[in-house]
Every structure is written in structure tokens, then in C-alpha cells.
Amino acid sequence: MAADSAANVVDAQVNSSIGKISLYEGSTQYKSWRYSPEQLERIRISLNVAAVAAIRNTFEADEPGSSSNVLFLGAGEEQLLVKLYITKIPQLCGHFRFPEEVEATAISYLKRFYLKNTVMDWHPKNVMLTTLFLATKTTNNPISLESYTSNIPKTSSSDVLDLEFLVSQSLNFELAVWHAHRALWGIWLDLQSLPDVTEDLRPQDIYDIAIKHVRASRFTDAELIYTPSQIALASLALASPLLAQRWADSKAPPGSIQPLSETMEPTLGAIKYIITQMGHPPDVEAVREVDRRLKLCKNPEKVPGSKAYLARQAEEQRRAEEKRHKKAEDVRRAITESNPFGNELNDDEKATQLAELDDDD
Amino acid sequence: MDAVEKANAERQKRWVKDRKVGEGTYAVVYQGREASTGRKVAIKKIKVGQFKDGLDMSAIREVKYLRELHHQNIIELLDVFSSKTNLNLVLEFLDSDLEMIIQDRSLVFLPADIKAWMAMTLRGLEFCHRNFMLHRDLKPNNLLIASDGQLKIADFGLARDFADPGHKMTCQVITRWYRPPELLFGCRYYSSAVDIWSVGCIFAELMLRTPYLPGESDMDQLKTIFRALGTPTEEDWPGHTKLPDYVPVGQFPRTPLRDLFTAASGDTLNLLSRFLVYEPRKRISVRDALNHAYFFALPHPSHPSKLPKPATQTSRPLEELDGNVEMAGAGPGVKANAPNKLKRKLTSPDGTELRPLARRLDFTQLAKHS
Amino acid sequence: MSNRTNVGGWLKGKTVRKGGITSSNGHTARSSTPQVQSTSSTVFSGGVKDASGRTTEYFSMDDQCPVCKSDRYLNPKLRLLVSSCYHKMCESCIDRLFTLGPAPCPICQKVLRKLAFTPQTFEDLTVEKEVAVRRRIAKEFNKRREDFPDLHTYNDYLEEVEDITFNLINDIDVPQTEARIAAHRTENAVLIELNLQREEQYAHALREQEELERQEKEQRALELRREVEIEREERETSQREIIDRLETSTKDAAKVIAKSRAEAMKRSSARTTTSTVLRSSAQLLRARAAQSTVIPDPPHIPLQDNWDSYEDLYTLKDQYDDMYSDAVRKDREGIMRAGGYRVEEAWDRALRCAVAGLDLPPLPGLNPSPERTDVAMASV
């Protein structure tokens, strides 16, 4: 049954767009930030394991034997902590009156960040503040850093700015996100084109319920697995199965045997499950426990002022110094040894030298 | 963290910087190549951490939109890599732009050429609008030309998504000469029609070889527009007197476009007038423009390889050692630096073999410009 | 192909064209003295003939034939020609001495034929000789800088050429020099031929260019005349307009006139801009015409990309019952209307979002596609 439906869905795809690529399939969201649940789990576990190993080494380098007492976080616990901070974003957005676009984008950024990083290196608190700030910029609702930090207690500018580049880098500078709430709005508008859906069949409160489900979905992994339109449809299905079914069926490509609502049932079912089971904030107590343990096992290299941090800095500075030295040496050699007149052959060399000089990496 | 850095280092190896070709206020542009294929690229290095509000908005916009848009008439972002303090955009290398071509008096435009450029510009713009994106900085300087003649829209530093209802946008966008009157009147709710006005100005400029509506200040810009196209009435443009920065600018009569564009055909003038309609809702849409009779009428648009191009610039090596050559325009344009205007004597109309054969003593350039 | 030079014409210093007609004065067939044919078919390696036929023959009132001592005063039709040994004599002497066949030159005894005489171009015969020698050498030794590996060898070559030339001009070691020339010719036959052809093309192209320029000049003159006409008309109409305006408007007269003047200036400057564009289009059109036959211009296709934007999956209506855009649509001040904000564009985007990727199946299991390095790198 599942195989059948999968085959049908694939057919539909091929028939409707022969030779053409759909715009969503050309987006970075589709190309880079789409996973299966299994892949997500594997990525998180491997990230976690690698992080634990690295931090353990740092502990050992600092003080041999110190790491054996440390209870490092597991991947699941990391997720719990991240989820808590995800739930804080809507609160902040309400406070600042940011549009829904900002809220949804910031949450996406936060989720994606922790697919590349571990909480033991970077605590979600400041990362969350940074993703929100970044989201205001990328969605064209910018706010000055000054007014941002002054409205959040115990937050300095550097708390936000220091991480901004790191966050952008972790996102691979892929900053455009498609959202389910816009898709839901679209479905809601499109329902008005269906002849058999009269106004009384689509009262406002159904929409209100559906949008609540969309917002709940943001606390889950749904957007990393499914497309925004699928999430929106599932949310509508939770609010009014009838409307969802009618609308889905109207979108079936001509000549398909099964109605679309049936072929999509496995997908929609899975999303509905995710939303209802995992779409609520985590247990605060459990999170607090995790946070407590985090204080003991976080990576000292990332904590400004700690021994390991300073050691790392020194190492980096030494490397940079070395590089600078080498460049200065090269330049000096080039100037003293080069023939001022007949340098045609060495033009390329000189040019690369000039270029490298500018590189302040 | 290290994994991210490692991935970056890998990407960085793909690209080699050859030499600097320009510098702006927050970015340095290098000419480079892909290490494996030797393909020519432009690498724009954006310095990060310079502004009090963090990553610069223009840089963010450029990266965001170029990452998502892939079209023949939009500049291609090949890769992005970053180091600790720099963001590097790898873009395709384009040597010239439409402004250079328009100002190069030794090049002559056929009507078919203008048609081709317009078609390519509109296609690129149509793709932007199809993706619900406003460019908001269209001008000949930002229309880059590849070596095969294809035109590419560049500089997305002012671009943004179409606004959700009720969301205000800034009216301080688009270079003044190409700015539509609704923006000059301070409107905060506008649409894709603002880009169409710019396209109309570019169209006129291609025909006149000089900017069509060059105002010296925002107020003067309005006056210039009205003098050229006549002051709009309430009927022409309902509600315009209610716009935030509305001021009466003077009553000018409408002179027919034919008086100025003497050589233009009826189709041409019709399309131009549809670009420059006052009421934004009535301005032609980009799709309708592409389907306008002007493009289907003869002559056919020139094949891109036959379009006029400025002569190859042998003055390059001098500029290389020059170091901090100012980039044309404040924004992240990614063409190679426009040649020093004094050096523009090197020309030969593309395709003709006649000129270069002149006298052995090279007084041709001087003779040509008499 | 006989050519009758108009004697009266060249007395006045008119142009004598090769095989051609004198520029003015028409033909006057003077048949008394036999004329030497000065066409390019004359086999003659001395003297200087100007190919373009624009230089005039050398002429002076002091001309005197060294052989018969006649001068212009006695013989107004006196014409001095130069032999291949660079000695002058008048046409009657030439005729007298050489009509019956080759005979020695009265001055240097070198055997000459009647054909071996040409009109003089330069006052100084030594100059004439030098020029003739140089012309000949230039034909034989026509290598360019590019034909040499470096500057040094090129300079050596030039020195050699100059050496040869000097010898020939001053009659030093003539046989050896001739041998050197012959040797060079055989060695570099191919290259010489190539360069000859190139020069031929160059000359041809030059001629074409001049022809085009001439045409352009004509066109320009025509345009100018037309413009003057238009300007005059415009001036008249604007004068009338000024008068009308002065009658009807209440503004200051000076201002009205100034405004009209400004408009007129703008119009005329715009006109000159357009006309400069038209001027050299003739030239370019020719080049373009050649190109068009090679690469045709394809007809216009509005959209050429391969992107599917889901347009067949929904229909955008003009009106929707929509809580988000209430304010916009109620907009009484018309601010949003006048500014051109189109709520339809926002609706379009939402509808697109609603259908985008609706039928895309989620990724199955653990197998990532090759480009997904992030998933591939994750290993447990």
C-alpha cells in the first residue's frame, strides 16, 4: 500500500512538470535542509559523540583524569534544551511585535544551527538571541542592535554580535526559508475557489485552530522532513478533515486514479502524529536538570577566560603570526631581489603576492 | 564548530584568487578562477564585523537572493565560503556592463540590439518578480554583460521580497534617475511596478545614448519627469496627491514621445509609454511587456554574440598595480572595474576590420575622435 | 588604352592620372607631337610613379633640355622626361634619338629604349632615384617585426636592408648587391608573397574606407540641411507659441520666454544626440550585414527558462475574503492604491506556497544523495 502510494506520488510529479524543475525544488531549503527522521537521528548522535570526545580530550589535556566524573549530555538531552529555547522565540516576538515571518525564520535557523553544532560548545540562550536578530534582518524587518539588546534583560551587544557570523556560517548562508503559515494562508484563500465549499463551511475558527497547529509544528522536526505545503495541509486536516480532503482532491493532476487526499494519507498522517505528540513545550524540570549538567560538561575552549580558551587563542595567534611572518618574508624577498625593469615574466607571481597580502584571513 | 570550519576550508580550496580588480566601501573584488577547470570567476570578499549592527544588510540580501535564484539573465552565485572574518562570494566573471556600452560612442546600436537587451533585461526581471522579489536598483550600471553577449542582472543589495499586506517598505530605493514618481512622493506601499519604471528609463536611455531623466535632486527629479511626460492629473493617477511627500511641482504639458524619439517605431513608442505610465497599477507588467508586439515585430532581436561590446581593455596591468581603485557605485557590483575614463581611447567597433588597419604610426585614436 | 595628356592642362599644373582623364578641361586631342604613354603598363623600373595618381608632375619655368638646349620660352610645349639612368631630356630629343630602336644615352652612353622614360616627380633627380630604389627594395624586403623572434634580429635585418639600399642608390658594388637581393628573394619567397598579399588587402581596405567616408560626408550634409530646415520650422512655431502664451498666461513675460527657450534648447540637444547616432550607422550596417548571414537572429521567445512555478495548480482570483489584507482594501486615503501596492501579489505568493512541493515525497531511510555531504559525513 505504501509502495503503491509512493509510486503514484512520483508519477504525479513526473507528469505535471515534464522537463521543468519546480521552483521549490530549486530552493536551498529543499536541496540542503531536508532529512529523513533516521538521518536526523544519526546526524545528531554523531555530532554529540564527536563533541563529547573532543571535550573529553580538552579536559584531559588540562587536568588528566578530570573527565571521568563528568556526565556528558546525550543527543536527546541536547534536543530537549534546544526545544526549550525554541519555545522562547514566540514569546520574544510577541514582546517586540515582530511579524510571524520573523518568528518562523528564527526558529528554523535555530534548528538548523544545532544540526551542525552541539550545545556543549554553544549554549542555546545566546544562539537563540542571535538567530532572532539575524532573522529580523533577513526578512526585511530590521531593528537596530541597540534597541534589540536594550529590550532584553541581561543582554549585551556582544552576546548577539559575536555569534552572528558563526550562525550564518553554520547555516551556510542559506537564508531564505519557506514557511507553513504562508502555505496555510494560501490554502485558506484557495478554498474560496472551490465551488462546493460554501462560506459557512469555512468559518474563521477553523483557520484559527489550523494556524495553532502550524505554530505547534514549529517545535518539532516537521519542517526538516516535510514541505511547508504538506505541513499546512496536515494542520488543516487536524482542524477540519473535510476541508482538507476537499482541497487536496482539487489539486490532483488530471488523470490520476486515486484522489490526492488518499495518496497523501501516509505523509499527512505522519505529520499529524508529529504535531500532536511532539508539538508542545518540553517539561521545564527536565530541562533545568539538563542545563545544570551542561554547566559542568560544556567545552572550556569556548568559555572566554578559561585556561583552555586562552590556550586555544594562543595557539591560533601563534599560527596567524607565523603566517604573517611568512608573508612579510616573501614580500621582502620580492622587493629586494626583483629586477625593477625586466619583470614581465614575473608578473603573475607578483600579482599573487599582492593578492595574498590583502587576505587578512 | 570545527566541522563547519573544515567544510569551509574545503570549499575555499576550490577557488583561487588571481588579482584584485576593485574595491568598495565594504567589499574587495578579485578576479580568480576555479582551481580544477580554470573557469574565470569574480570573488567578492566582504569584510565582516565592520558595522555596529553586525552583518551588513546589503551583503545579507545579496547572499540570500543569489543563493536561490538561478537564471540565464541573473548573475550566478557559484559558491560561498567564509573564513573567520570574511564572507566570500564567488560569482561569474563579467567584464562589462550596459552603462559602459551606452557611453562608448564608438559603438553604434541597431534597433535589433536594443530589442535584444530589453528582452534579456525583462526576462531576468520577470524571474525576479516570479519569485516575488523586487530588485529595486535597476540601472544600466547593474546590468552586466558576459563575453557571449548575455545580459545579467546583478547587485541585489537593495532587493527584498514583496511585502505582506500592511507592511511598510522604504521609499529610499533605486538610483534617483531611475526612480518612479510614487517613490519620490514618499510612498511606503508599492509593488513590482517600481522596477518597470526603471526598465522604461533604461529603454529610453538605450535609444538616446544619454540618461533620459537626469534630475539633480529628488525635487528636481520630479520636475524632470513631469517636464518630459507632463504633470499627471487626478484622472491619470488617482490619489497621488494624498501620498506622504506629495508637493505640487509645476504644471507641464504632455509632449508626445515621438518628438524626442524620432527614430522609434510605433511599437517601440507604445511599449515605452506603457513602461512610463504614472499610475503604478496601470503600468505594464513584466510578463505583458515580454509579450508586447514590439518584440515580435521585425527586426528580430540580435543574437547575443552579435551585440556591440566595448573593446578589450589592454590597460589592465596598470590598474592592477594601482591598488585601491574605487569601484563604480557604492554597492556590490561584480564586474571588473570600469576602465579609467581617460583610457577609453582604445576602441575599434566590434567586427569591423577596417579601423585597425590604419596608419602604422598610431595616431588613429586621436584622428577618430575628431 | 591610349592616353592623351592634355598639355594645356598640365601647364597649369593639373593632375595627370594614370590611364585617366585630367580632372578638368576635358579632352583636347592634340595630335602634333607624339606622346609618351605614361600608363602603369609601362615596363620601367626607374622613376617614381604615384599609384593613386594624385601627385602632379614636376614643373618649373627654368626647365631646359640638356641635349637640345631648348627651353619653355622657345618651346612652350616642352616636356622633360627622365631616363632609367636618371638623365633628363625633352620629348623631341627622345623621339629623335630612340624612335628607331635602342640607342645610347647622350649623357652617359647607357643603352636605352624609348619606353624607358617617365615624367619627373621630384625637382632633384637624386631624390627621384632614391625614391625609386627604396620603392623597389620595399617590395622585395617586406618583413615585419612580427616575423622575427626578437628585436635584435629585426634590427639586423633592417641594417642589412639599409645597406643594400645605400649601395644601390650610390652605385656601390651593384652586382654584389643585386646578388644579395636575389639571394634574399629566393630564401624568403613565401614570406614575401604573404606580406605582399597583406599589403594588397590593406590598400584595398583603405580604399573602401575612404569610399565610405565620402558617402558619410554626403549623408551628413544632407542631414544637416534637413536639421536646419526643422529648426527653422520649430523656431517659427515656438515664436507663435510664445505669443500665444503671453496672451493667455498671467505669468511674467520674461519667465514664459525663458521657459520656452529652455524647452527649445532641450529639444535641440536631444536632436543632436540622436543624429550623431545615425551618422555612422551606415558603416556598421555594412559590417552587420556580413555578420547576419553567418549567425541569424532568432525570433523572440518571451520566456526561455525551465522553471515551473506551479501556475497550472491554482487560479488567482481578483477578490478574496482575507483578514490579513482588510486594511489594505479598505484604504480610504488611497495611499496604498496610489502607490501601486498590489495585494494580489501577496495572495499569489501565498497560493504558490500552498501548492509548492505538495506532492514531493519525504526522504526515505538513511540513504542520502551524493550532494548531501552533511548527512554522508555523519557516521556512527
Side-chain angles (χ1 to χ4, degrees):
Chain A
M1 181 65 175
D4 270 337
S5 56
N8 276 341
V9 171
V10 171
D11 275 343
Q13 204 177 324
V14 168
N15 285 340
S16 63
S17 50
I18 301 166
K20 289 193 166 200
I21 317 168
S22 76
L23 282 176
Y24 182 71
E25 286 169 276
S27 72
T28 53
Q29 180 162 341
Y30 179 80
K31 291 193 287 196
S32 318
W33 300 100
R34 196 169 70 108
Y35 307 86
S36 72
E38 295 86 351
Q39 288 166 353
L40 281 174
E41 191 180 347
R42 173 183 277 194
I43 289 176
R44 285 169 176 150
I45 291 177
S46 71
L47 259 181
N48 175 266
V49 166
V52 168
I55 299 175
R56 199 182 285 265
N57 281 342
T58 319
F59 277 175
E60 292 294 318
D62 186 28
E63 196 190 307
S66 58
S67 70
S68 46
N69 293 334
V70 179
L71 269 176
F72 290 102
L73 296 182
E77 292 167 323
E78 288 199 51
Q79 278 314 106
L80 209 56
L81 191 56
V82 172
K83 191 167 181 180
L84 179 70
Y85 281 93
I86 290 179
T87 60
K88 291 189 193 268
I89 291 182
Q91 296 164 15
L92 268 178
C93 288
H95 176 59
F96 280 103
R97 295 194 194 286
F98 289 148
E100 183 139 25
E101 184 85 15
V102 176
E103 180 182 317
T105 308
I107 292 175
S108 298
Y109 288 173
L110 191 57
K111 278 187 218 164
R112 292 180 183 185
F113 180 85
Y114 282 110
L115 286 174
K116 309 280 181 187
N117 298 282
T118 168
V119 306
M120 291 183 278
D121 278 345
W122 310 104
H123 193 283
K125 173 171 174 288
N126 283 350
V127 176
M128 181 271 286
L129 292 176
T130 308
T131 55
L132 183 54
F133 183 65
L134 186 61
T136 62
K137 286 204 264 190
T138 60
T139 56
N140 265 294
N141 296 283
I143 180 177
S144 83
L145 183 60
E146 175 70 39
S147 32
Y148 185 65
T149 51
S150 58
N151 275 298
I152 304 174
K154 293 192 225 144
T155 311
S156 68
S157 299
S158 65
D159 287 340
V160 176
L161 273 192
D162 290 352
L163 290 174
E164 195 187 34
F165 196 65
L166 170 65
V167 169
S168 313
Q169 236 181 359
S170 306
L171 294 173
N172 205 12
F173 295 97
E174 289 165 353
L175 306 167
V177 187
W178 298 54
H179 291 302
H181 66 270
R182 192 178 297 276
L184 181 64
W185 181 26
I187 298 178
W188 196 250
L189 293 174
D190 206 24
L191 281 173
Q192 298 173 34
S193 298
L194 294 183
D196 52 346
V197 175
T198 52
E199 198 170 333
D200 54 308
L201 273 179
R202 44 175 180 83
Q204 187 62 30
D205 28 337
I206 290 188
Y207 178 83
D208 294 339
I209 298 172
I211 192 74
K212 276 210 184 69
H213 286 302
V214 167
R215 289 181 187 138
S217 76
R218 292 192 195 131
F219 299 156
T220 72
D221 285 340
E223 72 184 84
L224 298 169
I225 307 169
Y226 301 101
T227 69
S229 52
Q230 289 164 347
I231 297 174
L233 186 54
S235 303
L236 181 62
L238 282 172
S240 162
L242 176 67
L243 284 179
Q245 182 218 333
R246 292 259 179 97
W247 185 79
D249 289 343
S250 74
K251 294 300 156 200
S256 51
I257 318 146
Q258 261 183 318
L260 197 62
S261 54
E262 273 179 44
T263 49
M264 288 193 71
E265 192 43 49
T267 307
L268 294 180
I271 303 175
K272 282 193 257 186
Y273 180 82
I274 293 176
I275 294 178
T276 48
Q277 297 305 309
M278 304 181 230
H280 39 78
D283 172 40
V284 179
E285 263 315 307
V287 177
R288 230 174 263 168
E289 173 61 33
V290 172
D291 208 0
R292 245 182 308 230
R293 278 181 33 224
L294 179 56
K295 288 194 175 47
L296 299 170
C297 68
K298 64 184 171 195
N299 189 347
E301 272 185 12
K302 305 286 186 242
V303 179
S306 79
K307 216 156 87 164
Y309 179 82
L310 295 169
R312 188 91 191 288
Q313 262 204 335
E315 170 68 28
E316 274 169 22
Q317 273 182 0
R318 190 188 58 81
R319 239 182 282 145
E321 187 64 42
E322 221 178 72
K323 218 177 172 192
R324 262 199 298 272
H325 250 286
K326 182 177 172 301
K327 277 185 194 164
E329 188 55 44
D330 285 343
V331 172
R332 205 176 332 125
R333 216 184 311 132
I335 291 175
T336 53
E337 293 176 10
S338 72
N339 174 6
F341 292 116
N343 246 359
E344 283 147 18
L345 300 163
N346 289 333
D347 227 11
D348 281 85
E349 249 175 280
K350 209 172 185 191
T352 31
Q353 276 167 9
L354 280 167
E356 273 167 53
L357 276 175
D358 288 340
D359 231 46
D360 51 4
D361 287 355
Chain B
M1 169 56 183
D2 287 325
V4 172
E5 258 189 7
K6 224 174 283 172
N8 246 304
E10 279 307 305
R11 296 173 97 120
Q12 190 156 4
K13 283 203 203 106
R14 261 181 84 191
W15 312 99
V16 176
K17 291 189 181 111
D18 286 331
R19 56 197 184 85
K20 185 149 80 157
V21 294
E23 182 161 353
T25 41
Y26 71 101
V28 183
V29 185
Y30 297 89
Q31 181 187 318
R33 63 200 142 82
E34 183 170 10
S36 52
T37 64
R39 168 192 189 173
K40 234 164 128 188
V41 294
I43 302 181
K44 190 150 57 163
K45 187 168 83 169
I46 301 174
K47 303 166 205 162
V48 164
Q50 288 216 325
F51 302 97
K52 60 170 180 55
D53 283 333
L55 261 181
D56 181 54
M57 279 288 275
S58 311
I60 286 179
R61 285 186 183 120
E62 274 240 272
V63 174
K64 176 182 173 187
Y65 292 114
L66 287 179
R67 267 252 190 245
E68 311 289 321
L69 300 175
H70 302 285
H71 189 271
Q72 197 186 30
N73 296 114
I74 293 181
I75 192 169
E76 193 181 349
L77 180 67
L78 299 163
D79 202 358
V80 178
F81 62 88
S82 53
S83 65
K84 285 213 183 355
T85 48
N86 294 304
L87 171 59
N88 295 273
L89 306 183
V90 182
L91 294 137
E92 46 175 334
F93 189 84
L94 298 167
D95 356 60
S96 60
D97 62 69
L98 204 58
E99 183 181 35
M100 274 164 56
I101 293 181
I102 289 178
Q103 289 179 354
D104 186 347
R105 290 324 209 109
S106 73
L107 301 177
V108 172
F109 295 170
L110 295 174
D113 298 337
I114 297 180
K115 200 175 286 192
W117 282 317
M118 286 303 293
M120 292 193 281
T121 307
L122 285 171
R123 271 187 218 119
L125 186 62
E126 193 277 333
F127 193 64
C128 290
H129 288 180
R130 206 187 320 167
N131 282 280
F132 299 111
M133 221 197 80
L134 303 175
H135 184 276
R136 302 197 306 180
D137 197 14
L138 284 177
K139 51 180 173 175
N141 201 358
N142 285 338
L143 300 176
L144 309 189
I145 309 283
S147 52
D148 64 353
Q150 282 287 348
L151 179 145
K152 316 246 179 193
I153 300 183
D155 197 346
F156 284 75
L158 279 176
R160 67 157 291 157
D161 299 358
F162 287 2
D164 281 329
H167 279 102
K168 284 189 183 182
M169 296 190 271
T170 173
C171 56
Q172 291 297 324
V173 289
I174 307 188
T175 305
R176 185 186 304 125
W177 293 349
Y178 306 89
R179 200 182 300 169
E182 64 263 25
L183 292 184
L184 291 162
F185 279 141
C187 176
R188 310 294 296 278
Y189 304 93
Y190 47 86
S191 73
S192 49
V194 304
D195 282 335
I196 297 293
W197 179 276
S198 306
V199 172
C201 296
I202 295 172
F203 194 18
E205 187 166 340
L206 280 170
M207 291 192 271
L208 297 174
R209 300 298 289 268
T210 184
Y212 178 41
L213 302 166
E216 283 164 36
S217 68
D218 287 3
M219 183 53 60
D220 187 47
Q221 184 66 34
L222 280 165
K223 213 183 275 188
T224 313
I225 296 176
F226 291 173
R227 250 197 257 128
L229 303 168
T231 308
T233 63
E234 184 65 27
E235 222 186 297
D236 290 334
W237 189 3
H240 74 278
T241 51
K242 299 268 182 8
L243 288 171
D245 296 343
Y246 174 77
V247 281
V249 161
Q251 279 300 324
F252 301 96
R254 189 185 185 92
T255 48
L257 287 174
R258 167 153 303 290
D259 289 359
L260 186 58
F261 299 92
T262 49
S265 71
D267 282 331
T268 316
L269 290 180
N270 179 280
L271 181 58
L272 181 62
S273 64
R274 309 277 304 278
F275 282 139
L276 299 172
V277 167
Y278 277 115
E279 188 182 354
R281 294 186 79 102
K282 293 254 164 53
R283 229 170 269 162
I284 193 171
S285 77
V286 67
R287 267 237 190 132
D288 291 343
L290 275 172
N291 286 294
H292 192 273
Y294 164 71
F295 288 107
F296 295 107
L298 287 175
H300 291 318
S302 308
H303 192 270
S305 59
K306 301 199 292 193
L307 291 171
K309 263 177 277 185
T312 47
Q313 295 131 4
T314 58
S315 56
R316 268 256 155 261
L318 274 170
E319 288 175 311
E320 171 205 339
L321 296 174
D322 225 345
N324 297 338
V325 182
E326 261 307 320
M327 235 163 57
V334 207
K335 58 177 161 54
N337 197 27
N340 190 341
K341 301 229 186 299
L342 293 173
K343 292 185 184 127
R344 215 196 290 262
K345 301 258 169 114
L346 310 166
T347 53
S348 75
D350 202 55
T352 57
E353 298 299 313
L354 303 179
R355 298 281 174 172
L357 290 178
R359 341 297 172 203
R360 294 208 181 107
L361 298 172
D362 240 341
F363 292 137
T364 30
Q365 291 108 359
L366 298 173
K368 234 198 304 284
H369 284 275
S370 60
Chain C
M1 256 235 293
S2 82
N3 167 50
R4 301 198 156 256
T5 52
N6 184 336
V7 175
W10 77 253
L11 259 181
K12 293 194 193 109
K14 286 281 186 278
T15 313
V16 177
R17 287 181 190 255
K18 54 143 183 134
I21 317 152
T22 51
S23 46
S24 52
N25 278 10
H27 298 274
T28 19
R30 307 283 192 132
S31 52
S32 35
T33 33
Q35 310 290 338
V36 175
Q37 293 178 338
S38 59
T39 61
S40 54
S41 54
T42 311
V43 178
F44 180 52
S45 61
V48 178
K49 269 186 289 292
D50 177 24
S52 71
R54 284 205 207 116
T55 43
T56 57
E57 220 175 279
Y58 174 71
F59 168 84
S60 147
M61 280 314 289
D62 299 330
D63 279 344
Q64 186 190 56
C65 173
V67 178
C68 63
K69 311 289 182 211
S70 54
D71 61 25
R72 287 271 153 67
Y73 182 64
L74 294 174
N75 179 6
K77 289 177 268 174
L78 185 74
R79 188 177 176 215
L80 296 176
L81 299 178
V82 184
S83 71
S84 55
C85 52
Y86 292 99
H87 296 126
K88 285 198 279 201
M89 54 194 90
C90 72
E91 288 175 300
S92 36
C93 291
I94 294 169
D95 196 49
R96 192 185 68 242
L97 296 168
F98 299 101
T99 308
L100 298 169
C105 164
I107 303 170
C108 68
Q109 311 315 315
K110 179 162 176 225
V111 178
L112 302 165
R113 290 163 292 120
K114 192 169 176 190
L115 284 173
F117 283 86
T118 47
Q120 186 184 358
T121 318
F122 299 101
E123 176 177 352
D124 187 349
L125 279 175
T126 52
V127 173
E128 184 106 18
K129 178 171 182 181
E130 174 150 358
V131 173
V133 168
R134 284 195 183 275
R135 275 232 184 133
R136 175 189 162 209
I137 296 297
K139 273 210 194 66
E140 300 260 21
F141 293 84
N142 58 6
K143 289 203 211 173
R144 305 159 303 150
R145 167 74 183 86
E146 286 85 11
D147 299 326
F148 291 88
D150 60 51
L151 201 59
H152 210 62
T153 40
Y154 181 53
N155 285 333
D156 285 344
Y157 165 78
L158 289 176
E159 200 173 324
E160 166 95 14
V161 172
E162 193 54 36
D163 201 46
I164 290 177
T165 313
F166 185 78
N167 287 354
L168 285 181
I169 292 171
N170 300 288
D171 297 314
I172 304 169
D173 289 341
V174 178
Q176 289 99 308
T177 314
E178 289 289 347
R180 278 156 82 185
I181 297 174
H184 176 269
R185 197 186 312 135
T186 42
E187 269 173 35
N188 301 285
V190 179
L191 196 56
I192 292 175
E193 183 59 35
L194 206 66
N195 283 337
L196 254 170
Q197 280 180 10
R198 199 181 305 111
E199 282 177 26
E200 170 81 32
Q201 282 173 1
Y202 162 63
H204 179 71
L206 201 63
R207 256 176 282 142
E208 268 191 22
Q209 194 177 345
E210 284 169 7
E211 177 65 25
L212 278 168
E213 275 172 20
R214 195 186 54 79
Q215 283 184 1
E216 263 169 40
K217 258 194 224 144
E218 274 182 36
Q219 220 186 5
R220 238 174 287 168
L222 203 74
E223 295 243 340
L224 212 65
R225 255 174 280 151
R226 209 187 346 132
E227 272 178 32
V228 170
E229 190 57 41
I230 294 175
E231 231 183 276
R232 199 176 50 77
E233 277 179 27
E234 248 177 42
R235 220 177 315 139
E236 284 178 29
T237 39
S238 69
Q239 304 256 18
R240 257 177 278 135
E241 263 181 40
I242 291 177
I243 296 175
D244 288 335
R245 259 186 228 158
L246 285 172
E247 281 180 1
T248 57
S249 109
T250 53
K251 290 205 193 101
D252 175 24
K255 277 204 197 123
V256 175
I257 295 176
K259 208 193 305 177
S260 311
R261 287 251 174 82
E263 282 172 22
M265 289 264 284
K266 186 175 181 206
R267 270 200 303 266
S268 66
S269 70
R271 236 206 327 275
T272 44
T273 335
T274 43
S275 53
T276 25
V277 173
L278 295 168
R279 242 166 245 173
S280 30
S281 57
Q283 182 186 5
L284 197 72
L285 279 168
R286 212 161 309 221
R288 283 303 190 75
Q291 259 184 326
S292 302
T293 50
V294 181
I295 308 167
D297 296 326
H300 170 75
I301 302 170
L303 292 174
Q304 296 180 352
D305 60 79
N306 244 348
W307 291 106
D308 162 34
S309 35
Y310 311 103
E311 275 153 32
D312 46 344
L313 284 179
Y314 63 90
T315 333
L316 180 66
K317 295 205 318 180
D318 301 329
Q319 282 278 15
Y320 284 102
D321 183 15
D322 171 34
M323 65 235 142
Y324 290 121
S325 58
D326 266 348
V328 176
R329 285 167 302 126
K330 285 204 190 94
D331 174 33
R332 278 183 222 97
E333 289 280 274
I335 294 175
M336 300 200 211
R337 227 173 4 116
Y341 178 72
R342 287 200 208 132
V343 70
E344 296 84 10
E345 288 171 348
W347 288 336
D348 199 0
R349 189 176 172 203
L351 284 160
R352 151 116 43 100
C353 255
V355 297
L358 196 57
D359 54 359
L360 290 176
L363 282 175
L366 281 173
N367 303 318
S369 40
E371 322 89 61
R372 297 295 301 279
T373 47
D374 55 341
V375 183
M377 284 205 305
S379 54
V380 185

